[in-house]
Amino acid sequence: MIEIHIPGREPLFIENVVMDYNGTLAVDGILPESVKDRIRSLAQKANVYILTADTYGTVKKQCQDLGITVKTFPREGAALCKEEIVKSLEGQTVCIGNGYNDVLMFELADLTIGILEKEGVCAALLSHTDVLVSAAEDALDLLLKPDRLRATLRN
């Protein structure tokens, strides 16, 4: 569990970290080693899920040794698939994404992190985002180093 205390807010006890794959963590289907290392560390503290339509067909190979759960689904209806998966989880959840199909899962999350990587970020997602960062490593570091979240979200 990841415990986060932000002044002026209720404490967070994060049990689940749910992340989009392409455009959020991976670029052109490839997961950088720096992101893999952080995911391994995060998986020691919380249940980590990667949700993807797997556009490039690479997710299983890229994530095989990370100790996480990968869920794939058809390219059509991705938003609803992600929403259903997040609904099924018990405990507080962080969602990380960049696209329009992440909006519904962001609405259910206890904390949301948007990533403005090489694919950009969907403008509609911004109003559902607690924190916006410029790289996957930065998003994961917010959870691995919660003082960064405290500084950003304190009241």
Side-chain angles (χ1 to χ4, degrees):
M1 179 182 315
I2 302 168
E3 195 170 325
I4 304 170
H5 296 275
I6 300 168
R9 296 174 178 244
E10 292 293 317
L12 293 169
F13 302 98
I14 303 299
E15 294 182 44
N16 308 295
V17 179
V18 177
M19 301 178 282
D20 175 54
Y21 186 67
N22 284 303
T24 299
L25 300 175
V27 177
D28 299 328
I30 304 301
L31 199 59
E33 283 302 318
S34 58
V35 172
K36 287 182 180 182
D37 291 341
R38 286 168 172 84
I39 291 172
R40 283 186 197 98
S41 294
L42 203 52
Q44 295 175 14
K45 299 176 180 221
N47 303 312
V48 177
Y49 301 87
I50 289 181
L51 312 183
T52 183
D54 200 16
T55 302
Y56 298 94
T58 60
V59 72
K60 290 194 181 192
K61 183 177 180 188
Q62 290 288 304
C63 297
Q64 67 187 358
D65 65 343
L66 300 181
I68 64 170
T69 301
V70 174
K71 294 191 178 263
T72 58
F73 40 80
R75 289 185 179 106
E76 297 298 318
L80 293 174
C81 291
K82 289 179 176 184
E83 178 188 40
E84 287 303 313
I85 291 166
V86 172
K87 274 184 185 177
S88 74
L89 300 176
E90 294 184 18
Q92 290 188 322
T93 300
V94 172
C95 287
I96 301 173
N98 77 316
Y100 185 72
N101 65 20
D102 297 321
V103 170
L104 294 177
M105 76 173 184
F106 268 41
E107 289 177 349
L108 299 172
D110 298 285
L111 177 70
T112 58
I113 303 171
I115 297 180
L116 177 58
E117 264 283 2
K118 292 179 181 25
E119 284 187 15
V121 66
C122 173
L125 188 66
L126 293 176
S127 64
H128 302 279
T129 301
D130 292 309
V131 179
L132 178 65
V133 296
S134 61
E137 292 87 348
D138 297 333
L140 299 171
D141 282 347
L142 288 175
L143 301 175
L144 294 169
K145 302 172 185 184
D147 283 341
R148 293 181 183 183
L149 273 175
R150 277 192 272 287
T152 301
L153 295 176
R154 74 177 62 239
N155 186 350

